[in-house]
């Protein structure tokens, strides 16, 4: 995947480990109590995206100790942050709901 190649070439994880981490994070996002009412069932795309961003921020804060390198990229690199958001949006299926 281009995202992995572009942003994780220095990350000490195999592509398979990266995929597993992304899938795990997408499941945590979907399990968040605000996901269904504020993202999946929200027909207002702009509000849905804002809610998804808040949920991703919340999940990333919770995971920062386990995924410190990933969290640092997420917190400090705006291009990475946007690409990560787009990837999580795709993995959680939000872009297919609207």
């Amino acid at each position: 995947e281009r995202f992995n190649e572009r942003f994780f070439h220095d990350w000490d994880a195999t592509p398979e480990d990266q995929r597993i981490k992304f899938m795990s994070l997408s499941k945590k996002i979907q399990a968040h109590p605000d996901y269904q009412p504020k993202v999946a069932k929200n027909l207002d795309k702009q509000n849905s995206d804002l809610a998804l961003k808040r949920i991703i921020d919340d999940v990333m804060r919770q995971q920062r100790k386990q995924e410190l390198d990933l969290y640092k990229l997420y917190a400090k690199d705006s291009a990475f942050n946007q690409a990560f958001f787009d990837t999580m949006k795709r993995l959680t299926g939000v872009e297919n709901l609207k």
Side-chain angles (χ1 to χ4, degrees), residues 4-28:
N4 287 358
E5 292 168 11
R6 182 171 172 203
F7 290 101
F8 290 139
H9 62 277
D10 291 330
W11 189 19
D12 189 21
T14 66
E16 180 64 13
D17 287 342
Q18 292 172 16
R19 189 186 70 75
I20 290 168
K21 287 175 192 293
F22 273 28
M23 294 308 295
S24 173
L25 288 167
S26 72
K27 285 180 176 40
K28 289 179 190 316

Side-chain angles (χ1 to χ4, degrees), residues 13-98:
T14 66
E16 180 64 13
D17 287 342
Q18 292 172 16
R19 189 186 70 75
I20 290 168
K21 287 175 192 293
F22 273 28
M23 294 308 295
S24 173
L25 288 167
S26 72
K27 285 180 176 40
K28 289 179 190 316
I29 290 163
Q30 289 172 309
H32 193 282
D34 288 343
Y35 179 78
Q36 282 299 318
K38 294 184 178 178
V39 179
K41 294 180 180 175
N42 189 342
L43 298 178
D44 182 319
K45 183 183 179 323
Q46 186 174 6
N47 284 336
S48 175
D49 283 355
L50 290 171
L52 181 60
K53 174 82 172 102
R54 285 191 297 271
I55 292 169
I56 292 171
D57 287 347
D58 195 31
V59 168
M60 290 303 290
R61 275 192 301 278
Q62 292 170 10
Q63 296 297 307
R64 71 179 173 264
K65 288 183 180 161
Q66 294 93 325
E67 301 295 341
L68 189 57
D69 291 341
L70 181 60
Y71 180 78
K72 285 179 183 175
L73 282 170
Y74 177 80
K76 295 179 180 172
D77 183 330
S78 61
F80 173 90
N81 188 293
Q82 183 60 52
F84 186 82
F85 174 84
D86 293 341
T87 299
M88 287 299 121
K89 190 171 179 177
R90 190 179 76 252
L91 289 176
T92 59
V94 174
E95 68 183 18
N96 298 324
L97 297 174
K98 307 294 185 253

